[in-house]
Amino acid sequence: MSDLPRKALSRTAKLASLPLGAAGRATVGLGKRIGGAPAEAVLAEFQRRTAEQLFSVLGELKGGAMKFGQMLSLMEAAMPEELAAPYRATLTKLQDSAPPMPISTVDTILSRELGKRWRDRFTEFSDKPAAAASIGQVHRGTLKDGREVAVKLQYPGAAEALRADLKQLGRFARSFGALVPGMDMKPLVAELQERIGEELDYDREAQAQQQYADAFKDHDEFVVPRVIKHSPTVIVSEWIEGKPLSSFITNGTKKQRDEIGLKYARFLFSGPKYAGLLHSDPHPGNYRVMPDGRLGVVDFGLCARLPEGLPPAIGRLLRLSLTGDGPAIHDGLVAEGFIKPRMEIDPEQLMDYLAPFAEPARDTTFQFNRAWMRAQANRTSDFRSPNATLAFKLNLPPSYLLIHRVWIGGMAVLSQLEAEAPFRSVLEELLPGFAESEAHQ
């Protein structure tokens, strides 16, 4: 494969094959049931084959298709366990792996961006990519001055493929329910469509990465590689060596998972305070656990610019939700634009709906796990429930879109880690308005 498959008809056909394939397998499964095969065996086989096809198609297409798969991998903690288990290992692969570009394409890109004699800049350059993901891949090299670097290249045709994929995924969103039952695909696709330009702009990404690197230089908890050179389609930055966070989700000890979960949460909240940015792509593929225990962070393609830090209203509203002051919460959400002025919402029902957002801060320590995450998802997925009805009445202001994404995605990753830690102390230290509100009560 020379680059991203760019023919629209070909990509559309491959994406369409996912729900159609699932429907076909379901029909075959029904035939096996009628023929006497046990229901559990038929379901297990159906899910295994669906998971294999999901990884094969989304991973091969890269682009928006793979971005979609990565978001699915983030939210598997909210899926019913009997449905999530067959998909978990397959979707996790989409967090930091994909079929690579051939070296001829790599040479073409680097010749254009770094000059025809680009190899002369390196004493070593690995033609085999160290990582290959949705819109780009990373090669490891050593510069003439001895610095080890990561060379990140954007796939040719990434922009066209992203837009084409997301257009088709939007059309098929309802059909994708057969692939991962219980997941609403439309909001995932809409979020990706909203952020296409930011994901593709490597100059913007390099600026954000360097801003983080400056803020956390010589930090005792976090490592962000410094940028050495960049262009619209190439970023050369320091190489960092570490184990993927996803490996600790599957094989880490409780102590390791607890410590990593706490650092992960601290990083998400530290960014706005110290770098003026919120790292807004929280899936595990962007994190590495360093040999010295620090948390390494890569891929800054999606960051919310927050030069004044997180809005203090978030901390004040979170603290009010802990005190059970429904009317004050209601008025605060109206002031921030979450509730339209003429929208009638019962304050007590509002408190019940918001409870999960405050629960990790209610006690000194909190235990995240998949069962807790599933329970929260179930509260709003049943359209007959009051919580689901209330969700339709709330408005998410544009300035809070990425903050909301990180909040939900972060809780999903902590649930995958099954991390237990003093998360309340993180909020008291790093969330504006949270500790201040307590002091004024």
Side-chain angles (χ1 to χ4, degrees):
M1 182 174 57
S2 61
D3 51 51
L4 285 173
R6 281 176 283 181
K7 293 183 179 180
L9 288 176
S10 173
R11 297 183 70 85
T12 299
K14 288 179 180 293
L15 288 172
S17 73
L18 290 172
L20 290 175
R25 284 188 293 276
T27 302
V28 172
L30 178 60
K32 289 183 177 179
R33 286 285 305 281
I34 294 173
E40 294 79 4
V42 172
L43 178 61
E45 175 66 11
F46 167 80
Q47 291 176 334
R48 182 188 65 78
R49 294 178 62 186
T50 298
E52 288 175 353
Q53 187 193 18
L54 188 72
F55 174 62
S56 175
V57 172
L58 296 183
E60 175 191 348
L61 289 179
K62 304 177 185 175
M66 189 172 178
K67 276 289 180 187
F68 177 70
Q70 289 175 337
M71 293 185 76
L72 287 181
S73 75
L74 190 65
M75 297 311 296
E76 59 85 6
M79 295 158 57
E81 180 62 21
E82 67 273 15
L83 296 175
Y87 295 93
R88 186 170 296 137
T90 301
L91 287 172
T92 298
K93 294 178 186 177
L94 285 169
Q95 291 174 352
D96 54 11
S97 63
M101 287 186 286
I103 190 59
S104 59
T105 305
V106 172
D107 184 73
T108 298
I109 296 171
L110 292 180
S111 294
R112 183 185 69 235
E113 300 297 331
L114 301 181
K116 292 185 177 180
R117 297 173 62 97
W118 64 269
R119 285 188 181 269
D120 292 345
R121 296 171 179 260
F122 300 87
T123 57
E124 292 183 41
F125 183 88
S126 176
D127 289 341
K128 181 180 180 181
S134 57
I135 63 171
Q137 67 185 39
V138 177
H139 291 257
R140 186 173 184 174
T142 304
L143 297 177
K144 285 291 183 67
D145 61 11
R147 286 180 293 177
E148 288 194 87
V149 295
V151 183
K152 182 176 180 178
L153 305 84
Q154 189 173 116
Y155 298 128
E160 297 93 328
L162 271 172
R163 293 186 174 91
D165 288 352
L166 296 177
K167 183 177 180 180
Q168 299 307 326
L169 285 168
R171 292 176 178 173
F172 299 144
R174 193 175 301 276
S175 300
F176 273 91
L179 285 173
V180 189
M183 291 287 287
D184 187 355
M185 303 302 174
K186 283 192 174 181
L188 295 182
V189 176
E191 171 69 22
L192 289 170
Q193 290 173 324
E194 185 75 20
R195 303 294 169 184
I196 287 176
E198 296 177 34
E199 295 270 5
L200 292 165
D201 188 346
Y202 275 15
D203 281 327
R204 178 186 173 98
E205 176 177 346
Q207 180 187 17
Q209 181 172 332
Q210 189 57 45
Q211 203 166 320
Y212 260 103
D214 290 340
F216 295 120
K217 182 181 180 181
D218 300 323
H219 200 275
D220 59 357
E221 288 185 289
F222 316 125
V223 179
V224 177
R226 299 184 66 81
V227 176
I228 297 169
K229 184 177 179 59
H230 63 91
S231 75
T233 58
V234 172
I235 299 175
V236 181
S237 59
E238 295 172 334
W239 177 267
I240 61 172
E241 189 71 50
K243 294 179 63 176
L245 188 152
S246 58
S247 67
F248 290 89
I249 289 176
T250 54
N251 299 312
T253 65
K254 183 182 188 305
K255 183 175 184 293
Q256 289 173 326
R257 289 184 282 106
D258 290 346
E259 291 176 351
I260 292 167
L262 183 59
K263 287 189 178 77
Y264 174 84
R266 286 183 58 78
F267 177 80
L268 293 179
F269 283 97
S270 293
K273 182 172 183 176
Y274 297 111
L277 295 166
L278 176 66
H279 191 288
S280 304
D281 196 358
H283 78 77
N286 292 332
Y287 294 86
R288 304 285 185 269
V289 179
M290 311 293 286
D292 61 8
R294 290 185 295 171
L295 190 65
V297 188
V298 298
D299 197 339
F300 293 81
L302 189 58
C303 287
R305 267 59 182 175
L306 297 171
E308 304 299 320
L310 287 166
I314 297 176
R316 290 196 295 267
L317 290 168
L318 185 60
R319 175 65 67 179
L320 285 171
S321 69
L322 293 177
T323 66
D325 192 342
I329 285 283
H330 178 277
D331 293 345
L333 290 174
V334 170
E336 289 299 305
F338 287 91
I339 300 175
K340 297 294 185 182
R342 288 188 291 273
M343 180 67 68
E344 293 186 6
I345 294 179
D346 177 44
E348 293 305 313
Q349 184 184 347
L350 185 64
M351 288 293 299
D352 182 62
Y353 176 80
L354 295 175
F357 293 95
E359 193 173 349
R362 192 169 297 281
D363 297 316
T364 304
T365 62
F366 183 77
Q367 172 71 68
F368 281 95
N369 54 54
R370 287 185 167 91
W372 178 84
M373 193 70 189
R374 285 195 297 270
Q376 310 320 315
N378 290 339
R379 297 168 76 254
T380 55
S381 62
D382 185 351
F383 291 107
R384 298 165 296 181
S385 73
N387 282 314
T389 303
L390 177 57
F392 283 107
K393 295 180 180 180
L394 296 176
N395 174 62
L396 187 62
S399 60
Y400 281 91
L401 279 172
L402 286 181
I403 296 173
H404 182 262
R405 169 182 175 163
V406 173
W407 197 284
I408 300 298
M411 289 196 297
V413 173
L414 292 170
S415 296
Q416 290 177 338
L417 279 166
E418 298 192 340
E420 181 179 13
F423 296 107
R424 176 170 174 153
S425 66
V426 177
L427 302 178
E428 291 173 339
E429 177 189 352
L430 299 171
L431 180 60
F434 187 74
E436 290 90 331
S437 296
E438 183 179 46
H440 287 87
Q441 286 181 5

